[in-house]
Amino acid sequence: MNMKEKLLTNTAVVCVLALLCCLLWGSAFPCIKIGYELFDIAGSDSGTQILFAGCRFTLAGILTVIIGSVLNRGVLLPKKTSLKYVIKLCFFQTVAQYIFFYIGLAHTSGVRASIIEGSNVFLALLFACLAFKLEKLTVRKFLGCLIGFLGVITVNLNGEILGFNLLGDGFIFFSAAAYAVSSGLIKIYSREENPVTLSGWQFFAGGIIMVLAGLILGGKITVVTSAGALMLLYLAFVSAFAYSLWGILLKYNPVSKVAVIGFSNPVFGVILSAVLLGEKNQALSPLSLAALILVCIGIYIVNAKGKESPET
């Protein structure tokens, strides 16, 4: 094992880098809402929302390829044999995940969406263990994910009775499933291709597809300001940096070790939304603190050293 692999498989390093990814993703929730205000995008205008997301991911792909090329001292181009990987990844990681998410979010509450989206960690673990056969499903991993998921539910508790509808909750679940599949795919594909290359080109391809889908649905961006442009650039950076780093971590570590840290994403989202959107009492609430503690316990259990529990 070389120094790079030793560093990127160190549990403390993995946790810090993965938490950084989740912190950035968590900041995207309030920043998207702020972006909608800056671009004057109505909450019911799904076409323009998808167009906005497509612009974000197209720019993210360009940024990823440029930054990766500079660091690699050469243009990041996928191998001819890797083009099929890019196509599959762009479908699951960008197009399916976000189209399902945006449509589903328009037909369900933010509380239900956050809780259902939190199931993506469970699904990533199940796909990795049962579908892709990348690792064993153990009682310890399952228990850690269960406790982390309780953290996601806790941070979203507000007395609302949860229900289910296909177009809303169902589409959010499909979004979570698409993310889970993409986690397993990037783990497999990064054996033969640079994960940064895969991230950059799948973002670019997926972004273009979403731009076209948004235009077909009647999306139209009519208000453009310097503040809005900077926000769009930040959101593109979040995707470019976080997904590329996440892909690198998945390349060198078991999916469960990295994926469980994703439970901190909605916790960061709630806290940062509260701070950036002026609801500071919610950020400092007992529920947010309890959720963070549960997520940390779940991460610890999945990554704790020791004898593995029997396969479940």
Side-chain angles (χ1 to χ4, degrees), residues 48-210:
T48 303
Q49 289 171 1
I50 292 173
L51 175 60
F52 178 74
C55 292
R56 170 192 174 188
F57 293 125
T58 301
L59 184 56
I62 295 172
L63 285 176
T64 303
V65 172
I66 291 175
I67 295 172
S69 297
V70 171
L71 295 176
N72 196 53
R73 297 181 180 179
V75 179
L76 287 185
L77 291 173
K79 304 169 187 173
K80 289 184 179 180
T81 54
S82 297
L83 290 177
K84 60 188 178 200
Y85 301 156
V86 171
I87 293 171
K88 288 181 182 179
L89 273 176
C90 94
F91 174 76
F92 286 105
Q93 188 166 309
T94 300
V95 178
Q97 180 183 177
Y98 286 99
I99 285 182
F100 276 130
F101 182 78
Y102 280 113
I103 294 175
L105 196 58
H107 295 86
T108 190
S109 71
V111 172
R112 289 199 291 266
S114 295
I115 293 175
I116 297 169
E117 189 70 17
S119 67
N120 61 19
V121 178
F122 264 135
L123 293 173
L125 175 64
L126 292 176
F127 275 112
C129 297
L130 304 179
F132 297 120
K133 307 294 184 183
L134 295 172
E135 55 186 283
K136 290 183 177 181
L137 177 61
T138 64
V139 172
R140 175 169 58 79
K141 292 174 183 177
F142 186 83
L143 180 61
C145 282
L146 178 60
I147 293 175
F149 189 51
L150 289 176
V152 175
I153 295 175
T154 299
V155 80
N156 287 289
L157 287 177
N158 67 349
E160 181 177 339
I161 298 174
L162 299 181
F164 185 87
N165 71 82
L166 180 60
L167 193 58
D169 307 327
F171 273 36
I172 295 294
F173 180 79
F174 294 151
S175 169
Y179 163 83
V181 172
S182 73
S183 293
L185 291 179
I186 200 166
K187 169 74 175 178
I188 296 169
Y189 296 161
S190 61
R191 295 170 182 168
E192 301 179 27
E193 183 63 88
N194 183 340
V196 178
T197 302
L198 290 173
S199 290
W201 286 101
Q202 73 83 18
F203 269 137
F204 182 75
I208 293 296
I209 292 172
M210 291 187 75

Side-chain angles (χ1 to χ4, degrees), residues 280-303:
K280 295 185 179 181
N281 289 335
Q282 185 179 356
L284 303 175
S285 72
L287 284 180
S288 294
L289 180 60
L292 191 56
I293 291 172
L294 285 171
V295 168
C296 289
I297 292 173
I299 292 171
Y300 173 78
I301 290 175
V302 170
N303 289 289

